[in-house]
Amino acid sequence: MPRVVGVRFENTPKIYWFAAGEYEYAPDMSVIVETARGPEIGTVKMLPKDVEESEIVSPLKPVLRIATPEDLERHEQQLAKRPEILKTAAEKIAARKLKMKLVDAQYTIDGAKLVLYFTSDSRVDFRELVKDLASAFRTRIELRQIGTRDECRMLGGYGPCGRVCCCASGCEFAKVNIRMAKNQNLSLNPGKISGLCGRLMCCLSYENAYYTETNKLMPKTGGKVKIVENGETVATGVTVGINQIKMTVRVKTENRDGSFDVSDYPLENIVKLDSSSAADELNVSKDEEAELKSIED
C-alpha cells in the first residue's frame, strides 16, 4: 500500500496527500512538494500512513524534500513581495480596462512561476495582460480564474453565526442548492441564506441530512392529525407548523363552541391521518427559483 503524508498549503484549509518517501516527518514541519503548478511549500498536518490504492486520486505527487532554511527564507521574501505584486498587477489590469478582480498572488518556491488568482463575471481575454506582467516581474506568469467561493476561502472571514466561514475552516460539503434551504424551513430571502461570497451558505449542506430525515417523520402543513396522550385520542386537528429542532408540531383544534386553539405538541403525541409528510412539500416555485438563481451554485 502507498505511504502518504498529509500536507496543507497557505490559504487552503484542505489537506492533500503526497507520496511520503523515506523522509522522517514531524507535525507542522515545512516540506517542498511537487504540484501541478510546480514545486510548492506546505505544512505537514497528517503524519505518514499506509492507505489503499482505491483511496488515492491519481497521480500521487511526491514530497521533494524537507524544507531547508534557504527555502523558508525564500518563502518569507516572496510573502513580503506580495503587496507590491498585487498593487502592480492591479495597475496593469486597470490600464487594460479588464473586468477582473485580483484576489491573490503566489510564487512557486523556486520563483520560476507567479500565479495570480482573480474573479470575473465572464471570460477574460488576458493574453496581452500576461505579456505586461511577465515584463514587469521577469518570470513566468499564470492567471487563474476562480469562483467567489474560492475567493472567500482564500481571503477568509466570519459568517453571520460569528464563526470562521465554513469554506475557510476546512469543511468540505456537497453542492448547496435552494431545496436545502426549503428543507430547513428557512426564509428564501437571499440576504438571509447567502454567505460572504454571495452564494448559498455552506452550512445549509452541513445540517441538511438531519432535516431530511426529520421531515419524513413530521406531518405536512395542512395535514390532519390526531393528538394522543396515554394511548387515548384527546383531539384531532390540522397541522399549522412544525419545529424540527424541538421535534414539536403546532396543531389547530376546534372547540365545541366553534372557537379554535393552537398549541404545540411533542411529535410522539402526534399521529398522522394520512401518509403525507413535511418532506412532500419542498417544491420551490418558479418565481422563487428565478429570484434565487444568482446565489445558487
Side-chain angles (χ1 to χ4, degrees):
M1 290 189 295
R3 182 170 176 261
V4 302
V5 61
V7 177
R8 191 171 73 189
F9 301 103
E10 183 186 16
N11 294 334
T12 305
K14 184 178 179 179
I15 295 176
Y16 296 88
W17 285 354
F18 290 87
E22 300 301 321
Y23 298 108
E24 294 294 328
Y25 298 94
D28 296 324
M29 172 186 284
S30 295
V31 292
I32 307 300
V33 297
E34 181 66 40
T35 73
R37 292 184 294 273
E40 294 191 66
I41 189 167
T43 303
V44 173
K45 291 299 180 181
M46 185 193 75
L47 294 177
K49 68 174 184 178
D50 295 328
V51 298
E52 298 289 343
E53 288 279 0
S54 58
E55 298 182 52
I56 295 175
V57 178
S58 298
L60 183 64
K61 300 284 188 178
V63 172
L64 298 177
R65 63 180 183 274
I66 305 300
T68 64
E70 291 77 15
D71 290 325
L72 298 177
E73 182 179 358
R74 187 183 305 113
H75 182 56
E76 289 300 320
Q77 291 173 351
Q78 290 174 348
L79 292 179
K81 293 179 182 177
R82 182 182 290 170
E84 187 60 32
I85 290 172
L86 292 173
K87 179 182 177 181
T88 301
E91 291 172 351
K92 299 292 184 183
I93 291 170
R96 289 285 177 183
K97 297 181 179 180
L98 297 175
K99 295 181 179 180
M100 53 193 291
K101 176 186 176 185
L102 198 59
V103 176
D104 198 9
Q106 296 176 2
Y107 273 107
T108 54
I109 192 63
D110 58 4
K113 184 194 291 185
L114 175 61
V115 183
L116 296 168
Y117 298 90
F118 71 94
T119 60
S120 177
D121 293 332
S122 59
R123 292 181 62 87
V124 179
D125 183 356
F126 47 69
R127 287 173 293 183
E128 295 302 318
L129 175 63
V130 169
K131 296 177 183 178
D132 295 342
L133 296 173
S135 176
F137 300 121
R138 302 292 180 182
T139 190
R140 183 181 172 193
I141 300 295
E142 179 181 337
L143 280 168
R144 178 165 296 190
Q145 186 170 354
I146 60 175
T148 53
R149 286 193 188 278
D150 292 316
E151 178 187 10
C152 188
R153 173 181 57 77
M154 295 178 76
L155 299 180
Y158 291 88
C161 60
R163 296 175 62 88
V164 173
C165 291
C166 296
C167 58
S169 64
C171 299
E172 291 188 49
F173 302 125
K175 186 175 179 179
V176 189
N177 56 56
I178 299 299
R179 186 180 174 85
M180 292 179 178
K182 191 86 169 182
N183 193 31
Q184 297 170 45
N185 204 25
L186 297 174
S187 167
L188 298 187
N189 180 334
K192 299 285 187 181
I193 57 177
S194 56
L196 295 184
C197 60
R199 296 289 188 266
L200 287 171
M201 294 188 292
C202 296
C203 57
L204 293 178
S205 175
Y206 176 74
E207 299 173 350
N208 189 59
Y210 168 81
Y211 284 92
T212 298
E213 294 306 313
T214 302
N215 283 335
K216 294 176 183 177
L217 304 175
M218 292 283 186
K220 73 175 184 180
T221 303
K224 293 184 178 181
V225 296
K226 289 193 301 186
I227 303 166
V228 178
E229 294 180 1
N230 299 320
E232 299 290 332
T233 300
V234 296
T236 59
V238 177
T239 303
V240 294
I242 59 175
N243 188 316
Q244 297 100 324
I245 301 298
K246 294 182 177 180
M247 296 292 283
T248 59
V249 179
R250 179 161 292 183
V251 181
K252 178 181 178 182
T253 56
E254 185 175 1
N255 299 318
R256 290 181 179 178
D257 61 3
S259 61
F260 293 92
D261 285 333
V262 177
S263 300
D264 292 332
Y265 299 91
L267 179 61
E268 61 193 33
N269 294 125
I270 299 296
V271 176
K272 294 184 289 185
L273 295 180
D274 57 41
S275 60
S276 63
S277 70
D280 299 329
E281 51 182 353
L282 299 178
N283 295 326
V284 180
S285 70
K286 291 184 178 180
D287 288 341
E288 291 172 330
E289 208 168 349
E291 182 181 359
L292 298 167
K293 188 175 180 63
S294 63
I295 65 171
E296 190 174 10
D297 288 338

